[in-house]
PDB file of all heavy atoms in Angstrom:
ATOM      1  N   GLN N 991      50.974  86.518  91.576  1.00  0.00           N
ATOM      2  CA  GLN N 991      51.975  86.768  92.542  1.00  0.00           C
ATOM      3  C   GLN N 991      53.209  87.425  91.928  1.00  0.00           C
ATOM      4  O   GLN N 991      54.101  87.809  92.747  1.00  0.00           O
ATOM      5  CB  GLN N 991      52.335  85.503  93.258  1.00  0.00           C
ATOM      6  CG  GLN N 991      51.212  84.815  94.071  1.00  0.00           C
ATOM      7  CD  GLN N 991      51.664  83.605  94.745  1.00  0.00           C
ATOM      8  OE1 GLN N 991      52.830  83.367  94.961  1.00  0.00           O
ATOM      9  NE2 GLN N 991      50.715  82.814  95.238  1.00  0.00           N
ATOM     10  N   GLY N 997      61.078  99.670  85.755  1.00  0.00           N
ATOM     11  CA  GLY N 997      61.551 100.533  84.666  1.00  0.00           C
ATOM     12  C   GLY N 997      62.922 100.020  84.179  1.00  0.00           C
ATOM     13  O   GLY N 997      63.625  99.397  84.995  1.00  0.00           O
ATOM     14  N   PRO N1120      98.339  93.764  88.793  1.00  0.00           N
ATOM     15  CA  PRO N1120      97.864  93.186  89.999  1.00  0.00           C
ATOM     16  C   PRO N1120      97.452  94.135  91.104  1.00  0.00           C
ATOM     17  O   PRO N1120      96.623  93.843  91.963  1.00  0.00           O
ATOM     18  CB  PRO N1120      99.039  92.248  90.478  1.00  0.00           C
ATOM     19  CG  PRO N1120     100.236  92.865  89.797  1.00  0.00           C
ATOM     20  CD  PRO N1120      99.781  93.464  88.498  1.00  0.00           C
ATOM     21  N   LEU N1185      85.976  93.526  72.497  1.00  0.00           N
ATOM     22  CA  LEU N1185      87.268  93.080  73.094  1.00  0.00           C
ATOM     23  C   LEU N1185      88.031  92.201  72.095  1.00  0.00           C
ATOM     24  O   LEU N1185      87.540  91.208  71.641  1.00  0.00           O
ATOM     25  CB  LEU N1185      86.977  92.383  74.410  1.00  0.00           C
ATOM     26  CG  LEU N1185      88.241  91.959  75.246  1.00  0.00           C
ATOM     27  CD1 LEU N1185      89.031  93.169  75.597  1.00  0.00           C
ATOM     28  CD2 LEU N1185      87.731  91.205  76.489  1.00  0.00           C
ATOM     29  N   GLY N1245      91.137  74.851  80.881  1.00  0.00           N
ATOM     30  CA  GLY N1245      90.813  73.418  80.658  1.00  0.00           C
ATOM     31  C   GLY N1245      90.499  73.143  79.197  1.00  0.00           C
ATOM     32  O   GLY N1245      90.975  73.788  78.307  1.00  0.00           O
ATOM     33  N   THR N1404     109.179  97.245 109.133  1.00  0.00           N
ATOM     34  CA  THR N1404     109.905  98.269 108.274  1.00  0.00           C
ATOM     35  C   THR N1404     110.143  99.563 108.987  1.00  0.00           C
ATOM     36  O   THR N1404     111.098 100.249 108.668  1.00  0.00           O
ATOM     37  CB  THR N1404     109.017  98.542 107.047  1.00  0.00           C
ATOM     38  OG1 THR N1404     107.670  98.758 107.431  1.00  0.00           O
ATOM     39  CG2 THR N1404     109.027  97.325 106.120  1.00  0.00           C
ATOM     40  N   GLY N1459     111.108  99.174 102.501  1.00  0.00           N
ATOM     41  CA  GLY N1459     109.707  98.859 102.314  1.00  0.00           C
ATOM     42  C   GLY N1459     109.306  97.438 102.300  1.00  0.00           C
ATOM     43  O   GLY N1459     110.171  96.640 102.517  1.00  0.00           O
ATOM     44  N   ASP N1488     102.035  76.004 104.110  1.00  0.00           N
ATOM     45  CA  ASP N1488     101.383  76.261 102.824  1.00  0.00           C
ATOM     46  C   ASP N1488     102.279  75.917 101.702  1.00  0.00           C
ATOM     47  O   ASP N1488     103.438  76.284 101.563  1.00  0.00           O
ATOM     48  CB  ASP N1488     101.119  77.813 102.739  1.00  0.00           C
ATOM     49  CG  ASP N1488     100.350  78.164 101.546  1.00  0.00           C
ATOM     50  OD1 ASP N1488     100.071  77.239 100.668  1.00  0.00           O
ATOM     51  OD2 ASP N1488      99.942  79.352 101.386  1.00  0.00           O
ATOM     52  N   ARG N1549     105.021  68.488  93.498  1.00  0.00           N
ATOM     53  CA  ARG N1549     103.514  68.695  93.491  1.00  0.00           C
ATOM     54  C   ARG N1549     102.848  67.485  92.771  1.00  0.00           C
ATOM     55  O   ARG N1549     101.763  67.068  93.225  1.00  0.00           O
ATOM     56  CB  ARG N1549     103.154  69.970  92.872  1.00  0.00           C
ATOM     57  CG  ARG N1549     103.501  71.218  93.719  1.00  0.00           C
ATOM     58  CD  ARG N1549     102.721  72.394  93.269  1.00  0.00           C
ATOM     59  NE  ARG N1549     103.254  73.596  93.850  1.00  0.00           N
ATOM     60  CZ  ARG N1549     102.667  74.805  93.614  1.00  0.00           C
ATOM     61  NH1 ARG N1549     101.670  74.896  92.765  1.00  0.00           N
ATOM     62  NH2 ARG N1549     103.161  75.869  94.230  1.00  0.00           N
ATOM     63  N   PHE N1557      98.266  69.490  89.335  1.00  0.00           N
ATOM     64  CA  PHE N1557      98.006  68.073  89.094  1.00  0.00           C
ATOM     65  C   PHE N1557      96.806  67.517  89.892  1.00  0.00           C
ATOM     66  O   PHE N1557      96.316  66.487  89.661  1.00  0.00           O
ATOM     67  CB  PHE N1557      99.243  67.193  89.392  1.00  0.00           C
ATOM     68  CG  PHE N1557     100.425  67.636  88.680  1.00  0.00           C
ATOM     69  CD1 PHE N1557     101.405  68.425  89.280  1.00  0.00           C
ATOM     70  CD2 PHE N1557     100.644  67.360  87.327  1.00  0.00           C
ATOM     71  CE1 PHE N1557     102.564  68.886  88.637  1.00  0.00           C
ATOM     72  CE2 PHE N1557     101.739  67.784  86.653  1.00  0.00           C
ATOM     73  CZ  PHE N1557     102.706  68.516  87.279  1.00  0.00           C
TER      74      PHE N1557
END
Side-chain angles (χ1 to χ4, degrees):
Q991 295 181 17
L1185 185 59
T1404 50
D1488 184 354
R1549 290 197 189 181
F1557 305 100

